[in-house]
Amino acid sequence: MTDTDGMEHGMAQDRIALLLADAAQEIETGPAPVAAVVRGGRRRRARRWAVTAVAAAVVAGGTVGAVTVLPDRDAASPADRGVGGQLVDEPVMSTVGSGTRDGGTWSVNAKVWPAPRDRSEAVRQMKAMADWGFTPVTSGSPSDLIGRTSYFISRAYQKGAGAPTFRLVASDTVADLPHPKGTEIHVFTKPLTPGSGAQSLAVGMVATTARQVTCHWKDGSTTTADLAPADTPTPPTDATIGYVRGFPTANWFFCAAPGRTAYKSAEVTK
């Protein structure tokens, strides 16, 4: 590692600490005017996305330990938890994968929201989702969230000191999470970098028994995603299969295209 690398990693850690401290100052208690709530929601959403992007960038750079400064989820009371004992107004987060392209850092992130038990929890969850900039796949009524799990898979990209950009890859709100079996595969595609028209990123679900996915690209090349060891950080790579927290019924994979080619197909090969 060069001195420059060390400086960049240190700066990334400092940015996480500052962002988290700044976000902590935004916590409000008691009733508040609607306008203030809206403004506060926008600020919290920007900071939450920023923390996610910086943490993903640190993971891509190799400083995995920096993400452990996130708030302790176990400190919440039982009343704040939904079905399964998870927080209803904070998502369970995982990084599906990360890497670099065109001088910037990209990552694929999963956020899974547990099923609320009643309307009160559903209202809190819908407001929290709005803070993140998410809209659940429902009719729009908080009651639609009761007993249903919501998940959002997104791609983040950040270049230099510029603001990160985000693109939703897949999302749903369901009573039962998808449970693919055998060689069943569900694939979603998006450009890997902003401004690119090529569908150069393939993200999808496979059975928990799948050990390898092969992605085929339009230029004739292939990329192989292998199952990553459980409970281990995924290093920057072009493809992998991994476990997503809060999503026990399937594993998620991703493939990043080599060069400027686009997605053609994908299949479970092991």
Side-chain angles (χ1 to χ4, degrees):
M1 180 183 298
T2 64
D3 292 339
T4 301
D5 289 337
M7 183 181 299
E8 289 175 350
H9 291 171
M11 291 174 63
Q13 291 175 311
D14 290 342
R15 290 172 66 191
I16 291 176
L18 289 171
L19 285 165
L20 290 172
D22 197 7
Q25 294 177 357
E26 294 293 338
I27 296 175
E28 300 172 355
T29 58
V34 172
V37 171
V38 171
R39 288 195 301 272
R42 288 172 179 168
R43 289 193 297 269
R44 287 191 294 272
R45 177 171 58 194
R47 283 163 175 77
R48 285 171 171 174
W49 276 117
V51 169
T52 299
V54 172
V58 172
V59 172
T63 312
V64 179
V67 299
T68 59
V69 298
L70 293 174
D72 181 8
R73 300 177 55 84
D74 294 332
S77 68
D80 294 327
R81 299 179 182 274
V83 176
Q86 296 172 336
L87 295 174
V88 296
D89 49 7
E90 286 291 342
V92 179
M93 298 185 287
S94 301
T95 297
V96 179
S98 63
T100 58
R101 183 64 61 92
D102 296 343
T105 300
W106 62 267
S107 63
V108 176
N109 305 294
K111 296 177 177 63
V112 181
W113 300 75
R117 295 169 295 189
D118 52 37
R119 182 176 172 79
S120 175
E121 289 186 351
V123 168
R124 285 169 46 205
Q125 185 173 90
M126 185 165 280
K127 290 179 179 178
M129 287 181 180
D131 281 350
W132 278 96
F134 290 141
T135 301
V137 185
T138 65
S139 68
S141 170
S143 296
D144 293 340
L145 296 177
I146 299 173
R148 305 176 75 186
T149 301
S150 298
Y151 63 90
F152 301 85
I153 311 297
S154 59
R155 183 228 67 201
Y157 183 84
Q158 185 169 21
K159 190 170 185 177
T165 61
F166 304 91
R167 188 79 175 266
L168 190 64
V169 176
S171 68
D172 207 350
T173 299
V174 293
D176 296 303
L177 288 169
H179 196 165
K181 300 180 184 298
T183 59
E184 184 180 353
I185 188 169
H186 304 271
V187 185
F188 311 91
T189 63
K190 281 292 184 289
L192 186 60
T193 59
S196 171
Q199 302 294 299
S200 51
L201 175 66
V203 180
M205 283 183 286
V206 292
T208 55
T209 54
R211 294 182 292 120
Q212 185 182 84
V213 170
T214 300
C215 296
H216 301 268
W217 309 101
K218 289 185 176 180
D219 66 355
S221 62
T222 61
T223 303
T224 301
D226 292 311
L227 182 63
D231 300 322
T232 58
T234 302
T237 181
D238 287 334
T240 196
I241 307 171
Y243 170 76
V244 166
R245 296 176 62 213
F247 209 114
T249 60
N251 282 340
W252 285 80
F253 77 91
F254 78 94
C255 294
R260 302 296 177 182
T261 189
Y263 173 81
K264 181 180 179 181
S265 65
E267 58 184 331
V268 175
T269 45
K270 284 186 183 179

